[in-house]
Amino acid sequence: MRVLIVEDDLLVGDAVRLALVAAGFAADLVGSAEAARSALQAEAFDLMVIDIGLPHENGLRLLQGLRSRGRVLPALILTARDGLSDRVSALDLGADDYLTKPFHVPELVARCRALIRRANAVASSRVMFGPLELDMAHREVSVGGRLLELTHREWAILECLVLNAGRLVSKDKLLHAVADWSHDLTPNAVEQYVSRLRSKLGPAATIRAVRGMGYRIDDRVD
Ligand code: CA
């Protein structure tokens, strides 16, 4: 799951980015509305965190522009403490959630998880998939009560496959789920993560390669 953070205050932006990465997301930081639009054109994201206070063009105008062009990507807006009218405008313009500065970073991370879950139409933070039980909040997976030890990236691949269960997930999409700009990963890396994931999952789930294009997860073994 990949998050685009739009914040010109580097201290705040980087703190948010590091917290999201520590929580297992891939996260990229840009400092202006213009840079955000370029990033969104170039890459696939699952969520945006947009600060209203940006230079030249504020976060509300950025959001308005994106929504008017049909962008439905979930958006969490950061507003100033006294920004009641900004919060109202943000929700009216199609923001999915907001947080008032100063905020607690763990709350921001929890809200990001909730927005991504909602976007993927998963009501609960616990998802059953065959014998697998995924705890989306703690990014843990267990089989019959036994916790599997996955790395952040293995978890990100599994999460992306399970949320798209039964559908082909392209290698590119998986790459976006695990990579951000600070890491230069190739599609081969995805194959390695999938291969390690397969051996950790054992017979609990089957990850099928589909004609070299991507993968599909199946809870049956046949
Ligand atoms: Ca700012």
Side-chain angles (χ1 to χ4, degrees), residues 168 171 208-216:
L168 169 71
K171 273 190 194 173
R208 296 175 195 287
V210 183
R211 294 189 301 276
M213 293 159 55
Y215 298 93
R216 200 187 72 217

Side-chain angles (χ1 to χ4, degrees), residues 7-9 51-54 101:
E7 165 64 283
D8 61 314
D9 182 330
D51 182 41
I52 288 188
L54 295 173
K101 285 180 170 180

